[in-house]
Amino acid sequence: RAPFVLRALRIAVVVCLYWFTSIAMVFLNKYLLDSPSLRLDAPLFVTFFQCALTAALCLGLSAGAACGPPCPGLPALRLDPKVSRSVLPLSAVFIGMVTSNNLCLKHVGVAFYNVGRSLTTVFNVLLSYLLLKQTTSLYALLACGVIIGGFWLGVDQEGAEGTLSWTGIFFGILASLCVSLNAIYTKKVLPVVDGSIWRLTFYNNVNACVLFFPLMMLLGEFRTLYHFDKLGSPSFWGMMTLGGVFGFAIGYVTGLQIKFTSPLTHNVSGTAKACAQTVLAVIYFEDTKSFLWWTSNLMVLGGSFAYTWVKGLEMRKVQEDPNVKSSEKNEAGV
């Protein structure tokens, strides 16, 4: 075993890397989607470009690994139409997830973004019951109640401050639903790609690129791009590429954080990161927020942390008691 200090240092570096990548990606996407200096009203194109870059990076890394020593985490990638069709239902949910996330970010401030799409945990519980017939404990349901209360208080306070966007709220709720559905569909589709997250990421993003074309055509984004005055600007493409690289990297650093800590610690880290992101956004955009607005954020973060803590205790109880009923084992994994 590695010395304690070395292990602690490695965990600290991985957590910092996750925080930096995740927060930088949100701020970069906010710039690309809603910057007054950029004035680009083509959210689907921004999302399409990031998906195309992710697929290209997967392919490039796979080709690089094939030339060097074999890497078990990086399988050889080739496009199989049969596998692509099998992954298609997940790709449709994936498109809904990345598009609604970006559209929510476009219409709400970075400071409110975490609250705007905070109902993922609630949808996890709801869909687990509706689709998987898994029940949830009373304490976990109470934590979900706190999250819902924080969400509605946040919406109310955004309205009171005159910065509420119902379009942003709609896409935030849709993003929460899609994130939850994405987790369920990922589990179902993983066997098709031999359990490889890399292959799934590749197929998902290739499918998404194909599906985005008719959507961009339908919404007139090609016309918007044709009239966009910074289309030939190297700095614009630099920011687009950077956004795509961060979008690709977030999947990798998330996996690293789970590997070196645990899924439970990852959730706690994600909640703390959301808090830091909100504070940074308020400072950066020089916003002034009311006491109740901050209370709504604390309720969402507190509810999310409480849910994670309750689930952690339930999972530990399942591991310690071998006679626990299988239905309770399933419930602990929601």
Side-chain angles (χ1 to χ4, degrees):
R1 288 173 66 85
F4 172 76
V5 175
L6 194 63
R7 279 186 286 125
L9 188 65
R10 189 165 56 190
I11 288 168
V13 169
V14 167
V15 170
C16 288
L17 193 61
Y18 169 76
W19 278 41
F20 172 74
T21 306
S22 184
I23 293 173
M25 186 180 73
V26 170
F27 276 87
L28 261 171
N29 277 350
K30 183 63 178 175
Y31 169 78
L32 292 167
L33 293 161
D34 193 40
S35 168
S37 62
L38 202 62
R39 298 190 310 277
L40 173 63
D41 187 21
L44 290 186
F45 170 70
V46 172
T47 315
F48 160 80
F49 182 84
Q50 290 177 353
C51 288
L53 191 61
T54 298
L57 285 169
C58 281
L59 207 57
L61 286 171
S62 174
C67 295
C71 178
L74 281 169
L77 295 175
R78 62 181 184 83
L79 199 59
D80 184 337
K82 190 181 174 185
V83 175
S84 191
R85 279 196 300 273
S86 301
V87 176
L88 205 55
L90 172 63
S91 299
V93 173
F94 174 74
I95 276 190
M97 180 180 74
V98 292
T99 304
S100 51
N101 261 325
N102 277 352
L103 285 170
C104 173
L105 185 58
K106 178 179 170 63
H107 291 284
V108 305
V110 175
F112 186 69
Y113 179 58
N114 179 54
V115 173
R117 49 183 289 282
S118 62
L119 299 179
T120 301
T121 302
V122 178
F123 280 118
N124 281 346
V125 170
L126 193 62
L127 291 174
S128 293
Y129 179 72
L130 293 174
L131 302 179
L132 308 173
K133 299 292 179 276
Q134 292 177 354
T135 54
T136 305
S137 68
L138 177 63
Y139 290 119
L141 288 174
L142 285 172
C144 288
V146 173
I147 294 170
I148 294 169
F151 173 79
W152 280 116
L153 180 60
V155 170
D156 175 69
Q157 289 306 297
E158 282 287 300
E161 292 183 4
T163 52
L164 179 66
S165 164
W166 281 109
T167 307
I169 297 299
F170 168 75
F171 283 117
I173 295 170
L174 186 62
S176 300
L177 173 62
C178 288
V179 168
S180 189
L181 278 171
N182 188 70
I184 292 169
Y185 273 93
T186 297
K187 283 182 183 177
K188 288 175 73 175
V189 171
L190 263 174
V192 177
V193 290
D194 306 319
S196 169
I197 293 291
W198 279 102
R199 288 188 74 201
L200 187 61
T201 302
F202 174 67
Y203 276 104
N204 232 349
N205 283 279
V206 168
N207 282 351
C209 289
V210 174
L211 294 170
F212 268 126
F213 259 91
L215 288 171
M216 288 191 292
M217 209 170 282
L218 198 67
L219 293 172
E221 289 202 358
F222 288 114
R223 197 182 310 113
T224 304
L225 287 168
Y226 179 76
H227 294 290
F228 181 53
D229 59 346
K230 293 183 179 67
L231 200 61
S233 164
S235 63
F236 165 69
W237 288 109
M239 292 297 276
M240 284 285 283
T241 304
L242 199 58
V245 168
F246 275 116
F248 170 78
I250 191 65
Y252 180 70
V253 294
T254 299
L256 269 184
Q257 181 166 254
I258 292 169
K259 179 183 174 183
F260 287 111
T261 58
S262 69
L264 198 64
T265 309
H266 167 67
N267 287 339
V268 172
S269 173
T271 304
K273 187 273 307 180
C275 181
Q277 183 175 291
T278 300
V279 172
L280 277 172
V282 169
I283 294 167
Y284 180 78
F285 293 106
E286 297 178 346
D287 295 332
T288 306
K289 300 296 182 184
S290 67
F291 173 75
L292 284 175
W293 187 93
W294 285 108
T295 304
S296 75
N297 273 269
L298 288 173
M299 283 175 73
V300 164
L301 294 167
S304 301
F305 177 78
Y307 180 86
T308 301
W309 183 61
V310 167
K311 282 297 171 189
L313 289 177
E314 289 173 3
M315 287 174 77
R316 197 174 301 150
K317 185 183 171 186
V318 168
Q319 287 164 357
E320 287 171 0
D321 186 359
N323 299 316
V324 76
K325 289 187 290 186
S326 60
S327 60
E328 289 175 0
K329 283 185 182 181
N330 285 340
E331 184 238 312
V334 173

